Amino acid sequence: MDAFDRFWQWANKPLESQLTIPAELHQAVTELAPEERGDRAAVNQAAARLLGGKMNG
């Protein structure tokens, strides 16, 4: 699962879910313009910059 999938799985989770994501992933995505957050390549690239390859599955 890539950063894009992890972020959107978390963002769309039910309120009672205990699912979490790293703060750095949240930061990477929320720093993007809203229209870029739906772009898989943009999200993965932003996450790679901040996380330095720690999102490998």
Side-chain angles (χ1 to χ4, degrees), residues 21-53:
I21 59 172
E24 295 86 353
L25 175 55
H26 182 269
Q27 178 184 351
V29 177
T30 57
E31 285 179 353
L32 293 171
E35 59 274 6
E36 290 182 302
R37 296 176 191 165
D39 180 330
R40 181 177 298 274
V43 169
N44 287 333
Q45 184 177 27
R49 269 196 312 271
L50 278 182
L51 295 166

Side-chain angles (χ1 to χ4, degrees), residues 3 6 8 16 19 27 34 40 53:
R6 286 196 62 190
W8 286 106
E16 65 275 3
L19 183 65
Q27 178 184 351
R40 181 177 298 274

